[in-house]
Amino acid sequence: MSPRRNHRRDRRPDTRGSGEGGARGTETTEDWRGEEWVVRRVSGAAAVKHYRCPGCDQEIAPGLPHVVAWQRFGAVDDRRHWHSGCWAARDRRAPVVRRSRNAPRY
């Protein structure tokens, strides 16, 4: 019986942590509403803080894979963390209307 192989057969150099994206996730560019957006997919291991999703107004817990999106030529403070499903359905989602419990619904 031959010994078990615990290493990868192809010896590609390790590129994690180098360049843009790196260990944080992969970056792509998408067009949405006539603007160019940079979209970064964040793995669960790289998600370490609580965020609020603008699509559903729910919390994104640490350890949950999600999407970070911002306009290509926007400010760094304009980055928003979205649930992956909310980002995929962003055209079907309306802004959330915040009402008090006793407010009329008309």
Side-chain angles (χ1 to χ4, degrees):
M1 189 184 303
S2 61
R4 196 173 140 190
R5 292 184 186 257
N6 288 333
H7 61 276
R8 294 175 65 173
R9 288 185 184 225
D10 58 334
R11 289 294 187 178
R12 285 185 250 164
D14 187 10
T15 57
R16 288 177 287 166
S18 63
E20 285 189 39
R24 292 230 182 244
T26 58
E27 281 187 13
T28 58
T29 304
E30 297 181 17
D31 288 327
W32 183 45
R33 293 185 178 173
E35 305 255 347
E36 193 173 349
W37 290 74
V38 178
V39 179
R40 179 183 292 160
R41 311 236 177 250
V42 179
S43 68
V48 294
K49 290 173 36 180
H50 290 273
Y51 297 103
R52 177 78 51 186
C53 176
C56 65
D57 201 38
Q58 298 294 315
E59 187 175 278
I60 301 173
L64 187 69
H66 62 278
V67 173
V68 180
W70 66 95
Q71 290 182 1
R72 171 60 103 193
F73 301 108
V76 174
D77 294 338
D78 292 338
R79 289 183 297 189
R80 296 292 174 253
H81 294 254
W82 294 69
H83 290 107
S84 299
C86 293
W87 177 255
R90 63 192 178 272
D91 289 327
R92 297 187 304 264
R93 298 204 180 256
V96 177
V97 178
R98 307 287 274 174
R99 296 184 189 97
S100 68
R101 289 181 179 254
N102 298 329
R105 295 197 175 260
Y106 50 83

